[in-house]
Amino acid sequence: MEDPFEKQQIEQFKVELETNGAAAAAAKIDAYLAEQDNIPLNIGITGECGSGKSTFVNAFRGLDKRDKSAAAAPTGCTETTMEVKPYPHPQHPNVTLWDLPGVGTPDFQAEDYLKLVQFEKFDFFIIISADRFRQNDVKLAKEIQRMGKKFYFVRSKMDQDMRNEEETQSEFNAERFLTKIRNNCFQGLEKQDVDSPKVFLVSSHHLHLYDFCKLQETLERELPAHKRAALLLALPTVNHEIIKKKKEALQLEIKFLAAGSAVGAAVPVPLLSGKVDLAILVATAIKYRNTFGLDLESLQSLADSARVPLEDLRAEMKSPLALRDISREVIANILRESSCQVTLIAAEEGSRLIPFFGLPVAAGLSFVSTYKALSTFLDMLAEDAQRVFIKALGLHTSV
């Protein structure tokens, strides 16, 4: 079923094309796509000092705990966050995680906290604790709720707790222990008058375990529709479902990219359409690769985190887009290997020679050609991401 909003956008592009011509319609499509890529999402990460806020910020953005680059939030056993500090996502800078000072530190008492951190700019808050949620966490949650924003409790460092419990118990049962932790969190918050608290057990060093996937599903469900794609594309690729949803979000954009290609084909300049199409294909293929975490930097971070050799992960990538710089030459070679694409491109250029009806036919062929190429690229890289995920984390990744 077609989204009414998307249908409305397409109608607007048609009106622009009929009223002001191909160049104006192309500009309108470009502006729409740029707007979609830059929808801001601001996530506030807060909690008491030492709760693991900075580690969570790094993990969410796909940075390994040993990453020492300027992009990584500093971590440590002391209070390392003394000011409100933004950490844009490395691949999707419209998504920013804000590492907030610990609640209850001398300079940030709970009563004045939200005012000091400029509460209004955040889309939602994640309140992190390494053990139990305390009075300051609850005060903050109630104030967030009073102001009409969403918040979620994350019980961090679950990998440490699991190790400690296993070492001290002769009959260790993982599911029973996790249930006990969840119940303790729920009961502790309900005793402090927090109604129906949303609590998620997370290990920032192993996001594929425990409740991170439930947190992701909850955020996706409760975010406004126009913010949802921004979240999905920025999420770390830690399970099959995220890969699937990233692919679905990217697939929805293809019709607009293909429309831009079609408009370019309607301009009566020989070979211009081919140049426009190649530019679209290169930029979009790079976006797909980065969104699935298949760029070299993301792969290295995954290899370090999963303790798998980088070359083993690279060996799982079979598509011609994965292991080289994506350039016009690479894209052109892939297109030449497809007889269908070669036929469509030749037919598009040939149709330009037909008087009166040639340009509309060329536009339609350009739409089909671009749509098919981008869908193929998306399939290739999504399949690579699935294979890399299986190699790095295994098929059975839930406790």
Side-chain angles (χ1 to χ4, degrees):
M1 184 177 178
E2 189 170 21
D3 187 317
F5 177 74
E6 290 182 1
K7 187 176 181 181
Q8 180 185 7
Q9 289 297 320
I10 291 171
E11 288 302 319
Q12 288 179 8
F13 300 149
K14 287 180 181 177
V15 170
E16 190 72 26
L17 178 63
E18 293 165 0
T19 307
N20 298 315
K28 195 173 184 70
I29 292 170
D30 287 345
Y32 170 77
L33 290 169
E35 181 184 352
Q36 296 307 299
D37 280 343
N38 290 290
I39 290 174
L41 183 66
N42 292 293
I43 306 170
I45 310 297
T46 185
E48 293 194 336
C49 62
S51 59
K53 301 187 305 296
S54 299
T55 305
F56 182 87
V57 166
N58 290 337
F60 193 100
R61 297 182 306 135
L63 300 178
D64 180 66
K65 59 190 175 183
R66 287 159 288 195
D67 195 312
K68 300 300 182 184
S69 68
T75 60
C77 57
T78 59
E79 176 57 36
T80 56
T81 306
M82 301 307 295
E83 58 184 13
V84 178
K85 189 161 184 183
Y87 289 96
H89 192 284
Q91 306 296 351
H92 302 276
N94 56 308
V95 177
T96 304
L97 279 77
W98 295 79
D99 194 359
L100 307 180
V103 181
T105 55
D107 295 330
F108 290 88
Q109 293 300 312
E111 293 79 4
D112 304 315
Y113 188 86
L114 291 177
K115 183 178 179 181
L116 289 166
V117 301
Q118 298 179 319
F119 161 89
E120 309 79 24
K121 67 186 169 194
F122 299 108
D123 291 287
F124 60 87
F125 290 82
I126 292 177
I127 303 172
I128 297 183
S129 176
D131 40 56
R132 60 187 178 84
F133 294 97
R134 294 176 169 80
Q135 186 179 23
N136 281 327
D137 300 317
V138 172
K139 279 184 182 179
L140 181 59
K142 288 181 177 179
E143 191 64 16
I144 294 170
Q145 189 172 41
R146 188 181 70 79
M147 294 185 176
K149 296 261 180 142
K150 298 282 189 181
F151 62 91
Y152 308 91
F153 292 103
V154 164
R155 170 67 160 75
S156 65
K157 304 185 181 181
M158 285 305 304
D159 53 328
Q160 294 181 21
D161 292 331
M162 292 286 278
R163 277 198 306 272
N164 294 339
E165 183 73 7
E166 188 169 9
E167 288 172 1
T168 58
Q169 299 297 320
S170 57
E171 296 183 2
F172 173 71
N173 181 287
E175 281 295 340
R176 189 164 58 235
F177 179 65
L178 292 172
T179 300
K180 176 185 172 183
I181 295 290
R182 283 194 191 94
N183 290 340
N184 287 345
C185 290
F186 285 126
Q187 290 166 8
L189 288 167
E190 287 169 348
K191 282 180 182 177
Q192 298 182 75
D193 299 320
V194 179
D195 294 330
S196 304
K198 294 174 182 174
V199 179
F200 303 90
L201 312 185
V202 170
S203 163
S204 294
H205 298 319
H206 307 284
L207 288 181
H208 60 291
L209 301 176
Y210 317 119
D211 293 343
F212 183 79
C213 298
K214 293 179 183 176
L215 173 62
Q216 162 244 312
E217 291 166 3
T218 303
L219 295 177
E220 180 192 348
R221 185 171 60 249
E222 297 189 353
L223 269 175
H226 68 291
K227 300 270 188 178
R228 204 168 294 145
L231 172 76
L232 282 173
L233 298 184
L235 283 169
T237 305
V238 294
N239 63 49
H240 293 291
E241 192 62 23
I242 289 176
I243 296 172
K244 176 185 173 185
K245 289 185 175 180
K246 282 178 184 277
K247 183 181 177 183
E248 289 170 354
L250 293 168
Q251 185 75 47
L252 290 174
E253 294 181 350
I254 290 181
K255 64 170 73 73
F256 297 106
L257 292 162
S261 168
V263 169
V267 178
V269 177
L271 303 180
L272 175 63
S273 176
K275 293 177 182 178
V276 171
D277 289 352
L278 271 179
I280 291 172
L281 295 177
V282 169
T284 309
I286 291 171
K287 177 181 177 179
Y288 291 171
R289 184 190 62 189
N290 294 347
T291 296
F292 287 122
L294 298 177
D295 58 289
L296 185 58
E297 187 176 344
S298 298
L299 281 173
Q300 184 64 67
S301 181
L302 176 61
D304 292 342
S305 179
R307 298 183 182 179
V308 175
L310 175 63
E311 289 310 310
D312 287 4
L313 299 184
R314 290 174 63 107
E316 296 299 318
M317 298 190 293
K318 310 300 182 185
S319 81
L321 293 169
L323 295 175
R324 64 184 80 176
D325 290 334
I326 297 176
S327 64
R328 288 172 180 256
E329 291 74 21
V330 168
I331 296 295
N333 287 336
I334 294 172
L335 296 179
R336 280 194 287 268
E337 291 173 4
S338 167
S339 58
C340 176
Q341 287 291 342
V342 170
T343 302
L344 284 168
I345 292 167
E348 178 190 336
E349 287 303 319
S351 65
R352 291 173 170 280
L353 304 175
I354 303 172
F356 302 111
F357 303 109
L359 288 180
V361 171
L365 290 169
S366 182
F367 182 95
V368 173
S369 174
T370 302
Y371 194 98
K372 283 181 172 294
L374 290 178
S375 295
T376 299
F377 297 167
L378 185 56
D379 287 342
M380 285 178 177
L381 291 168
E383 289 167 7
D384 279 342
Q386 292 280 16
R387 287 190 288 267
V388 167
F389 167 72
I390 291 170
K391 183 67 176 179
L393 303 174
L395 282 169
H396 305 293
T397 57
S398 295
V399 171

